[in-house]
Amino acid sequence: MSWDMVLSQLHYIIPEESKHGTFVGRIAQDLGLDIGEINSRMLHIVSRDENEYFQVNLQNGILFVKETINRESLCPDTPFCIIPLQVIVDKPVQMYRVDVEIEDINDNTPVFSSSVTNLVISELIPSGSQFPLKGAIDPDLGTNSITHYELSASDHFSLDFQKYMNQIRSLKLVLKKTLDREKQSFHNLTLTAYDGGKPRLSGVTHLVIAVEDLNDNAPVFDQPFYQCSVTENAVKGTLVFKLNATDLDQGKNGEISYKFTNMEMEKLSKIFSLDKNTGEIRVKGEVDFETTKMYEIHVDAIDNGDHPMVGHCKVLVSVVDVNDNAPEMMVTSLSVPIPENSPKGTTVAIISVHDRDSGSNGKVSCKMSVIDLPFNVNSAFMGDFSLTVNGSLDRELKDQYEVVLIARDEGFPSLSVSKTLKIDISDINDNLPHFLQLVDTIFIMENNPPGSHVYTASAFDSDIGHNSFITYSIIDSSIDGIPISSYMSINPENGKMFASVSFDHEQVTFFQCHIKATDAGLPPLSSNMTLNIFINDINDNAPIFSPLYSGLKHSEITVKTSRSAEPGHLITKVKAVDLDSGYNAWTFYKLKDLGGSGKFPFTIAHQTGEITLKRSLTDSDNDEYRLYVIAQDHGEPLMTTETQIIISVVESGEELKFDNQETKVTFEAFSDENIYLVVAICIISTIFLITLIVFSVLRWQKYRVEVNELKENYKICSNTGGSWMYSQHTQYQISSNSSRPKSDLIVFTPNNFQTGNEEQVNPQGLMLSSSYKVRKMKYNSLWLVLKISCISYCFLYNNMLKSKKSKQHTKFYKI
């Protein structure tokens, strides 16, 4: 459909003066609308005129008259009186154009401007002369206007009127017979005007004709009909036309003066002026094309004789339109606010534009002042435009638009009018709650009071209203089979997290908590964050001596040493383990000073716990010494534990005897039948050593890389949460010989996170399990070879003992 060719979709005709409630048409049925929907869709009528002449019954869809319409008042100068209507329904927005034509009825009587008309006619005027008469006025149109005139019976006069397009344009009194003043000086006639309506109406005026015996030549124009034009809004004094009339008389009877006929004086004298001497017609007032497009001026040329004679002419002045009216803009429908997810083509507003000018001066286009807005102006019916969505809308980026609409005509110079529409964008739930940090780390000191506040989760939502209301929750998970809800709780409104239990670093060192933020939109949207929780150690565990030295508070352990031992000889070594980690687990050894301990010939290494001979033993030294060893950590506050060691000093001869007996038994056991056992043990030991050397050489480089990687993975925990636990893994030996044992190996092992999962994400999101698993596999393999070797030793040695059934061998086996 070409909308420019559509003037209206419905056309109704009703007579004027119709009363309130008069049926006009079934507008809902004619437009194809469902009568059941016109009420819910808010059908309404918009007219350009401020008066509301019509109304729609929303129950049956009938258009009826609301106010009585007078066609002559509404359309005084137009032959067709049409009231344009806009029928608009919402949800969705639709617009229809309906024209209602007001049909004229014969409700006005023809009226003459005066009830008596005086004429002066010289007796010298020949028969056949014509005298213009001022006709009656009837505001009705067509057949309801004046269609006929009648003159009362007369021997000297008759009536002549000419019709043009069924309308009487001129009315003249015709002299049929020469007048004779001596016979009759006055003639009284009756002029009646009739219209063509039903019933037929009429108006009457009386003609009083005085006969004079004077001037016998009337002025004559060079032509009876003139055409000219004038531009509207022409300045005052502009020449419109110059008339020219001549009179065959001489002297004062030939002197001519011009004037408007009596019927034109009242109206035209305000717009035009006529120079009575020169016949020049000039602009006097305001010429408006929109008010009157053409003026019909009747001019009389009167001579100056004793009995003036009159010549007549008609001047048609066409008004040339200029672009002097700006377009008029009216918003007839505005649907705001609009959702931010409105699709393209959604109608936002309907704009009606009208220009009172004609031609190109009255052609109007409507556009937006800014073209980069997500809206577009589309042409609908003639003079109607729609504002639609033409792009994506995002309330979070812009929640209101000011659209400036400009209506501009095609005249020269062009005139325009603008109107600003404020369009609000309504919110939908299209944004997830957003955490400031997707991963965060906190540290909690162990032995914290239950219910203490440990963290506040904070998220924000770019939406507004209920779409931005956020609730917080903890995603279900478990720590070593225990639900996370047993450890932590969260306030759903403000995101504050509380510790539900008192944590113990020795049981749980690290776990993760996944927090969920959910908005209240429909449908609700959510996002998660990961909270890494480290349990910081405090010094709540005292050092514990290894099982060899543990027991009661004053347990006694006896150790023998030779009186001939040299200074620096290792007597024994104690070992204590602290369940804490880091600095709290660093154990310090010292001997308890009981007042006389300063004379003891023994000393202890503070770091390793090795008890050595401080000086050579003499005969004056005691045969037995009681040492009280204290193990102390470096925590705050300090925690200690104590054990007692009895050192028995023996003579060197007793020691040699003991060693010789052992050597003899061993020699007898291995010299006879069980030589094969020695060979088997040597073979197994060789295989074990070769395996260990090859394994160490092949894995050394990768081991170094893995250690570096492990340090990087625990970099975040280097202060408190991920501190290294100091532990010393060694085998304790009590030796009575003079040879110095090998020193223990001190290693540092990390506090591995016990979360129940094989793969654990560190605070930086790194996986800790892969390198740890590989290294664990390597150590397990090495430990497996060691256990196989030990089992083989035990099995072979047990066979040897069974074959000899020696008590000494049984003793060594137990050791």
Side-chain angles (χ1 to χ4, degrees):
M1 180 186 295
S2 177
W3 296 109
D4 292 337
M5 299 299 295
V6 178
L7 297 178
S8 65
Q9 294 172 296
L10 292 178
H11 189 91
Y12 296 112
I13 300 177
I14 62 169
E16 67 174 327
E17 305 298 335
S18 296
K19 304 299 181 183
H20 174 77
T22 301
F23 173 84
V24 179
R26 301 182 183 274
I27 190 169
Q29 180 179 351
D30 295 341
L31 291 176
L33 299 176
D34 189 355
I35 296 179
E37 295 181 353
I38 61 176
N39 194 6
S40 61
R41 294 183 64 186
M42 301 176 64
L43 183 143
H44 61 283
I45 294 176
V46 179
S47 175
R48 290 178 182 172
D49 196 338
E50 294 181 356
N51 297 323
E52 295 182 1
Y53 295 107
F54 303 96
Q55 191 172 355
V56 176
N57 188 327
L58 297 181
Q59 302 299 324
N60 52 26
I62 293 177
L63 181 67
F64 61 93
V65 176
K66 183 179 180 182
E67 294 183 7
T68 304
I69 303 173
N70 189 309
R71 190 204 63 81
E72 286 75 23
S73 300
L74 184 63
C75 308
D77 297 322
T78 56
F80 296 97
C81 186
I82 296 177
I83 300 177
L85 303 176
Q86 287 181 345
V87 180
I88 299 174
V89 292
D90 297 329
K91 303 178 182 178
V93 178
Q94 290 180 308
M95 183 185 70
Y96 304 91
R97 182 71 173 268
V98 177
D99 289 345
V100 180
E101 181 179 349
I102 309 303
E103 188 179 34
D104 182 56
I105 63 173
N106 192 26
D107 58 341
N108 291 281
T109 302
V111 177
F112 288 91
S113 60
S114 176
S115 60
V116 177
T117 302
N118 295 312
L119 295 176
V120 177
I121 301 176
S122 175
E123 64 176 352
L124 298 179
I125 294 176
S127 61
S129 298
Q130 296 181 352
F131 306 93
L133 297 176
K134 186 177 181 180
I137 298 175
D138 191 341
D140 295 327
L141 297 174
T143 57
N144 294 328
S145 64
I146 298 174
T147 59
H148 184 71
Y149 286 92
E150 286 184 1
L151 188 65
S152 59
S154 174
D155 295 332
H156 294 86
F157 298 96
S158 65
L159 196 62
D160 181 29
F161 53 88
Q162 295 179 355
K163 289 186 177 181
Y164 177 73
M165 296 182 66
N166 296 324
Q167 291 187 355
I168 298 176
R169 295 295 183 180
S170 62
L171 178 64
K172 297 180 180 180
L173 183 65
V174 180
L175 182 61
K176 296 190 297 183
K177 183 178 179 181
T178 304
L179 297 176
D180 189 354
R181 182 181 175 277
E182 286 70 28
K183 291 183 178 181
Q184 186 176 356
S185 60
F186 289 94
H187 296 269
N188 294 317
L189 303 176
T190 301
L191 178 62
T192 306
Y194 296 95
D195 62 21
K198 292 182 181 181
R200 192 177 183 185
L201 302 178
S202 62
V204 176
T205 185
H206 297 281
L207 301 179
V208 178
I209 303 172
V211 181
E212 291 186 15
D213 187 15
L214 293 174
N215 190 19
D216 58 350
N217 289 290
V220 177
F221 290 93
D222 53 0
Q223 60 185 58
F225 179 78
Y226 299 96
Q227 282 186 328
C228 61
S229 63
V230 64
T231 303
E232 72 167 325
N233 299 332
V235 298
K236 294 181 178 180
T238 301
L239 177 64
V240 178
F241 194 75
K242 183 178 180 179
L243 299 173
N244 183 27
T246 57
D247 194 323
L248 298 178
D249 295 327
Q250 293 181 351
K252 64 178 183 178
N253 292 330
E255 297 176 357
I256 299 174
S257 61
Y258 303 91
K259 70 174 183 179
F260 295 124
T261 59
N262 292 334
M263 69 179 68
E264 304 289 346
M265 284 296 294
E266 182 178 357
K267 180 178 180 180
L268 291 179
S269 61
K270 298 179 180 180
I271 301 174
F272 300 101
S273 63
L274 176 62
D275 191 308
K276 66 177 183 178
N277 297 318
T278 62
E280 293 179 348
I281 300 176
R282 295 183 179 272
V283 175
K284 178 182 179 182
E286 181 180 355
V287 180
D288 189 2
F289 175 84
E290 287 70 40
T291 302
T292 305
K293 298 177 176 58
M294 179 177 290
Y295 293 93
E296 184 175 325
I297 303 175
H298 294 268
V299 180
D300 292 341
I302 305 173
D303 59 24
N304 198 23
D306 294 333
H307 301 282
M309 300 189 69
V310 180
H312 307 282
C313 77
K314 182 169 61 177
V315 180
L316 294 180
V317 181
S318 300
V319 180
V320 180
D321 181 43
V322 297
N323 192 27
D324 60 341
N325 290 281
E328 299 173 359
M329 183 185 302
M330 180 174 63
V331 178
T332 59
S333 178
L334 181 61
S335 299
V336 291
I338 59 174
E340 60 179 321
N341 63 340
S342 298
K344 288 186 178 181
T346 301
T347 301
V348 180
I350 297 176
I351 305 98
S352 179
V353 182
H354 174 68
D355 196 317
R356 296 174 59 196
D357 294 322
S358 63
S360 60
N361 296 331
K363 292 182 179 180
V364 183
S365 61
C366 186
K367 295 181 180 179
M368 296 188 301
S369 62
V370 180
I371 61 176
D372 59 348
L373 296 179
F375 301 98
N376 190 30
V377 178
N378 302 310
S379 177
F381 301 101
M382 181 179 295
D384 294 322
F385 299 87
S386 62
L387 180 66
T388 60
V389 176
N390 193 40
S392 59
L393 303 175
D394 190 347
R395 189 208 62 80
E396 288 70 40
L397 296 178
K398 192 173 181 64
D399 60 354
Q400 187 184 71
Y401 291 88
E402 287 193 357
V403 180
V404 179
L405 300 175
I406 298 178
R408 187 179 300 276
D409 59 29
E410 298 182 6
F412 183 82
S414 178
L415 300 178
S416 63
V417 66
S418 63
K419 194 174 189 64
T420 302
L421 300 182
K422 290 186 177 181
I423 301 175
D424 294 322
I425 309 300
S426 60
D427 182 57
I428 64 169
N429 192 28
D430 59 344
N431 288 278
L432 296 171
H434 179 70
F435 284 99
L436 297 178
Q437 290 179 300
L438 296 180
V439 178
D440 201 357
T441 302
I442 63 173
F443 301 91
I444 303 176
M445 300 299 294
E446 67 172 331
N447 299 333
N448 60 290
S452 58
H453 175 252
V454 296
Y455 184 74
T456 300
S458 179
F460 67 92
D461 198 313
S462 300
D463 296 319
I464 60 175
H466 64 276
N467 294 329
S468 64
F469 181 75
I470 298 176
T471 57
Y472 300 89
S473 61
I474 297 177
I475 299 176
D476 292 336
S477 60
S478 61
I479 303 174
D480 294 334
I482 301 175
I484 189 70
S485 58
S486 299
Y487 290 90
M488 304 296 294
S489 64
I490 191 169
N491 188 320
E493 295 182 359
N494 55 28
K496 290 186 176 181
M497 294 186 64
F498 303 90
S500 301
V501 298
S502 179
F503 291 102
D504 187 357
H505 174 80
E506 287 69 42
Q507 294 181 358
V508 178
T509 59
F510 167 79
F511 63 92
Q512 281 188 333
C513 181
H514 300 282
I515 304 171
K516 182 178 182 181
T518 306
D519 60 27
L522 290 175
L525 301 177
S526 62
S527 61
N528 303 333
M529 77 163 289
T530 300
L531 183 64
N532 296 314
I533 302 175
F534 289 90
I535 307 303
N536 284 350
D537 181 55
I538 64 175
N539 194 28
D540 58 345
N541 291 281
I544 301 175
F545 283 98
S546 59
L548 185 60
Y549 302 99
S550 63
L552 298 175
K553 181 177 181 181
H554 299 291
S555 60
E556 297 180 356
I557 298 175
T558 303
V559 178
K560 292 182 179 181
T561 184
S562 175
R563 191 180 292 278
S564 61
E566 299 294 330
H569 173 71
L570 177 63
I571 305 301
T572 187
K573 181 178 181 180
V574 295
K575 181 65 178 178
V577 178
D578 196 320
L579 297 179
D580 294 322
S581 63
Y583 205 62
N584 295 328
W586 186 11
T587 306
F588 175 82
Y589 302 95
K590 65 180 179 179
L591 296 176
K592 186 175 183 182
D593 189 3
L594 299 178
S597 61
K599 300 178 182 180
F600 288 168
F602 307 102
T603 184
I604 188 170
H606 298 312
Q607 304 297 333
T608 63
E610 294 179 348
I611 300 176
T612 59
L613 192 61
K614 184 168 59 175
R615 60 177 174 79
S616 299
L617 296 173
T618 63
D619 294 336
S620 61
D621 290 324
N622 299 331
D623 293 336
E624 183 178 275
Y625 291 91
R626 291 181 178 271
L627 302 182
Y628 293 91
V629 181
I630 298 175
Q632 173 183 302
D633 59 25
H634 286 70
E636 183 65 33
L638 297 174
M639 301 191 73
T640 61
T641 188
E642 180 181 324
T643 189
Q644 179 178 303
I645 298 177
I646 300 175
I647 301 177
S648 178
V649 180
V650 299
E651 299 297 332
S652 58
E654 296 178 5
E655 184 180 5
L656 291 174
K657 182 177 179 180
F658 177 78
D659 293 340
N660 291 337
Q661 290 178 353
E662 286 185 354
T663 305
K664 183 177 180 180
V665 174
T666 303
F667 176 78
E668 291 176 357
F670 286 93
S671 60
D672 298 330
E673 300 176 3
N674 296 324
I675 192 67
Y676 70 93
L677 294 176
V678 176
V679 175
I681 290 174
C682 291
I683 294 174
I684 293 174
S685 299
T686 303
I687 295 174
F688 173 73
L689 292 175
I690 293 174
T691 303
L692 182 60
I693 292 171
V694 173
F695 183 85
S696 300
V697 171
L698 294 178
R699 298 301 180 181
W700 176 249
Q701 292 297 330
K702 290 188 177 180
Y703 176 76
R704 292 181 61 188
V705 174
E706 292 166 1
V707 170
N708 293 333
E709 181 182 356
L710 184 61
K711 290 180 179 180
E712 289 295 326
N713 291 339
Y714 287 91
K715 198 173 191 179
I716 191 174
C717 313
S718 61
N719 292 330
T720 54
S723 59
W724 300 94
M725 179 181 287
Y726 172 78
S727 61
Q728 301 172 352
H729 303 282
T730 183
Q731 297 181 353
Y732 301 96
Q733 300 178 357
I734 302 176
S735 176
S736 60
N737 55 22
S738 60
S739 61
R740 185 180 181 89
K742 297 181 181 179
S743 60
D744 291 342
L745 175 64
I746 299 175
V747 297
F748 290 86
T749 59
N751 289 325
N752 296 328
F753 303 142
Q754 304 295 328
T755 61
N757 297 325
E758 285 298 323
E759 294 183 4
Q760 178 64 47
V761 182
N762 66 3
Q764 284 76 20
L766 300 174
M767 301 302 293
L768 304 178
S769 63
S770 60
S771 63
Y772 175 80
K773 285 184 176 181
V774 173
R775 184 165 58 256
K776 184 177 179 182
M777 190 189 322
K778 295 174 184 177
Y779 292 151
N780 289 340
S781 301
L782 182 59
W783 181 242
L784 181 60
V785 174
L786 180 60
K787 288 197 291 184
I788 293 174
S789 301
C790 292
I791 292 171
S792 300
Y793 282 128
C794 295
F795 176 76
L796 295 175
Y797 205 71
N798 186 46
N799 290 337
M800 180 183 71
L801 294 177
K802 286 181 179 180
S803 63
K804 302 302 288 184
K805 298 181 180 179
S806 172
K807 292 184 178 180
Q808 288 84 355
H809 291 132
T810 302
K811 180 179 179 181
F812 281 107
Y813 176 72
K814 290 181 178 179
I815 293 175

mmCIF file of all heavy atoms in Angstrom, residues 212 245 309 358 422 476 489 705 755:
data_model
loop_
_atom_site.group_PDB
_atom_site.id
_atom_site.type_symbol
_atom_site.label_atom_id
_atom_site.label_comp_id
_atom_site.label_asym_id
_atom_site.label_seq_id
_atom_site.Cartn_x
_atom_site.Cartn_y
_atom_site.Cartn_z
ATOM 1 N N GLU A 212 -34.560 60.706 -13.478
ATOM 2 C CA GLU A 212 -34.030 62.046 -13.638
ATOM 3 C C GLU A 212 -33.713 62.313 -15.113
ATOM 4 O O GLU A 212 -33.339 61.417 -15.861
ATOM 5 C CB GLU A 212 -32.757 62.228 -12.817
ATOM 6 C CG GLU A 212 -33.015 62.216 -11.323
ATOM 7 C CD GLU A 212 -31.774 62.542 -10.536
ATOM 8 O OE1 GLU A 212 -30.810 63.036 -11.134
ATOM 9 O OE2 GLU A 212 -31.738 62.288 -9.347
ATOM 10 N N ALA A 245 -11.502 53.938 -17.266
ATOM 11 C CA ALA A 245 -12.862 54.093 -17.815
ATOM 12 C C ALA A 245 -12.947 55.438 -18.550
ATOM 13 O O ALA A 245 -12.260 56.397 -18.193
ATOM 14 C CB ALA A 245 -13.876 54.024 -16.691
ATOM 15 N N MET A 309 -23.832 59.388 -14.151
ATOM 16 C CA MET A 309 -24.053 58.076 -14.752
ATOM 17 C C MET A 309 -22.892 57.154 -14.314
ATOM 18 O O MET A 309 -21.774 57.607 -14.089
ATOM 19 C CB MET A 309 -24.139 58.174 -16.266
ATOM 20 C CG MET A 309 -25.278 59.078 -16.752
ATOM 21 S SD MET A 309 -25.539 58.977 -18.534
ATOM 22 C CE MET A 309 -26.191 57.314 -18.686
ATOM 23 N N SER A 358 -0.347 25.907 1.136
ATOM 24 C CA SER A 358 -0.754 24.995 0.068
ATOM 25 C C SER A 358 0.439 24.674 -0.816
ATOM 26 O O SER A 358 1.501 25.306 -0.732
ATOM 27 C CB SER A 358 -1.877 25.621 -0.771
ATOM 28 O OG SER A 358 -1.413 26.810 -1.412
ATOM 29 N N LYS A 422 10.373 13.135 25.833
ATOM 30 C CA LYS A 422 11.207 12.434 26.814
ATOM 31 C C LYS A 422 10.725 10.997 26.905
ATOM 32 O O LYS A 422 9.580 10.747 27.301
ATOM 33 C CB LYS A 422 11.136 13.112 28.178
ATOM 34 C CG LYS A 422 11.824 14.466 28.212
ATOM 35 C CD LYS A 422 11.867 15.034 29.619
ATOM 36 C CE LYS A 422 12.623 16.362 29.656
ATOM 37 N NZ LYS A 422 12.685 16.924 31.035
ATOM 38 N N ASP A 476 26.252 -25.760 48.513
ATOM 39 C CA ASP A 476 26.494 -26.980 49.276
ATOM 40 C C ASP A 476 27.759 -27.676 48.815
ATOM 41 O O ASP A 476 27.984 -27.880 47.609
ATOM 42 C CB ASP A 476 25.306 -27.940 49.137
ATOM 43 C CG ASP A 476 24.065 -27.388 49.822
ATOM 44 O OD1 ASP A 476 24.236 -26.561 50.745
ATOM 45 O OD2 ASP A 476 22.952 -27.771 49.436
ATOM 46 N N SER A 489 28.362 -19.988 58.007
ATOM 47 C CA SER A 489 26.998 -19.521 57.749
ATOM 48 C C SER A 489 27.079 -18.108 57.184
ATOM 49 O O SER A 489 28.092 -17.425 57.356
ATOM 50 C CB SER A 489 26.156 -19.553 59.027
ATOM 51 O OG SER A 489 26.677 -18.642 59.984
ATOM 52 N N VAL A 705 62.923 -29.620 39.647
ATOM 53 C CA VAL A 705 61.856 -28.834 39.017
ATOM 54 C C VAL A 705 60.575 -28.916 39.846
ATOM 55 O O VAL A 705 59.865 -27.941 40.052
ATOM 56 C CB VAL A 705 61.616 -29.329 37.580
ATOM 57 C CG1 VAL A 705 60.410 -28.612 36.981
ATOM 58 C CG2 VAL A 705 62.863 -29.094 36.737
ATOM 59 N N THR A 755 41.342 -31.521 52.239
ATOM 60 C CA THR A 755 39.985 -31.127 51.860
ATOM 61 C C THR A 755 39.156 -32.287 51.362
ATOM 62 O O THR A 755 38.007 -32.135 51.031
ATOM 63 C CB THR A 755 40.035 -30.057 50.763
ATOM 64 O OG1 THR A 755 40.694 -30.610 49.637
ATOM 65 C CG2 THR A 755 40.775 -28.837 51.241
#
